[in-house]
């Protein structure tokens, strides 16, 4: 289509896009667990939601996971366990992260994890645990909130009705509370 000579053609107004921060996350399978379909589904959903995903593949050691987290400067880690070794592997990964100086990176776990094991894992430092039936929307929201809390520590995040924030930081999200 040609524009008649002498007429002016206006460009459409520029659209303003607000890009959400692109967080880098690590998805890992530790120990001898070779079942990775769930981890791959979550990794793909995270990617499709705008996350940059690093997937270590199966049978990674806690040390390898910690080194990858340091090298890739991730904002969160997702661990998957279908082998029943979560009580040994998840705390071992948390310990390796602390040893490498990145113990504050949020770690989320998923897989076939009995309800009675959740308190132990959460006390060890796992931020959230997803079991079969957890929706991808819930998993994505949790990763988003945990990444935001880690990368923007002064900003409070709501998760399961609790306000999570970095230690020693005043919560600006509470009405009537201000930093001193």
């Amino acid at each position: 289509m040609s524009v008649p000579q002498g007429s002016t053609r206006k460009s459409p107004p520029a659209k303003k896009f607000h890009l959400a921060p692109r967080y880098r996350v690590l998805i890992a399978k530790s120990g001898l667990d070779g079942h990775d379909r769930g981890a791959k589904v979550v990794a793909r959903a995270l990617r499709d939601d705008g996350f940059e995903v690093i997937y270590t593949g199966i049978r990674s050691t806690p040390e390898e996971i910690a080194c990858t987290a340091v090298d890739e400067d991730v904002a969160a880690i997702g661990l998957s366990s279908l082998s029943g070794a979560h009580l040994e592997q998840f705390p071992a990964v948390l310990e390796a992260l602390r040893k490498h100086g990145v113990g504050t990176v949020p770690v989320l776990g998923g897989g076939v994890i009995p309800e009675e094991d959740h308190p132990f894992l959460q006390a060890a430092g796992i931020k959230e645990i997803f079991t079969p039936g957890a929706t991808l929307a819930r998993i994505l929201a949790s990763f988003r909130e945990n990444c935001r809390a880690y990368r923007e520590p002064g900003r409070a995040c709501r998760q399961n009705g609790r306000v999570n924030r970095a230690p020693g930081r005043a919560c600006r999200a509470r009405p009537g509370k201000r930093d001193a």
Side-chain angles (χ1 to χ4, degrees), residues 12-26:
K15 293 182 180 180
K16 293 182 182 179
F17 292 101
H18 174 69
L19 296 176
R22 184 173 166 107
Y23 297 115
R24 182 179 289 183
V25 296
L26 174 66

Side-chain angles (χ1 to χ4, degrees), residues 19 30 90 108 146 149 165 170 178:
L19 296 176
S30 62
F90 286 12
L108 296 85
N146 278 283
R165 61 182 184 273
R178 295 185 164 245

Side-chain angles (χ1 to χ4, degrees), residues 93-165:
V93 169
L94 292 167
E95 182 57 37
L97 291 168
R98 283 190 284 276
K99 184 177 118 188
H100 286 276
V102 290
T104 58
V105 173
V107 178
L108 296 85
V112 180
I113 301 171
E115 189 75 32
E116 59 266 15
D117 293 346
H118 291 199
F120 172 79
L121 293 171
Q122 289 170 330
I126 301 296
K127 296 289 186 186
E128 184 140 6
I129 300 165
F130 303 102
T131 55
T135 65
L136 285 175
R138 183 172 151 240
I139 294 169
L140 294 173
S142 184
F143 267 93
R144 211 174 296 111
E145 289 297 319
N146 278 283
C147 287
R148 186 177 298 127
Y150 180 68
R151 290 292 186 215
E152 304 168 32
R155 196 170 163 177
C157 294
R158 293 214 171 268
Q159 181 180 351
N160 296 333
R162 302 186 309 264
V163 174
N164 300 321
R165 61 182 184 273

Side-chain angles (χ1 to χ4, degrees), residues 55-78:
Y55 178 62
T56 64
I58 59 174
R59 299 184 181 100
S60 298
T61 66
E63 187 73 17
E64 290 169 339
I65 294 168
C67 287
T68 303
V70 170
D71 292 345
E72 298 291 344
D73 189 31
V74 298
I77 299 170

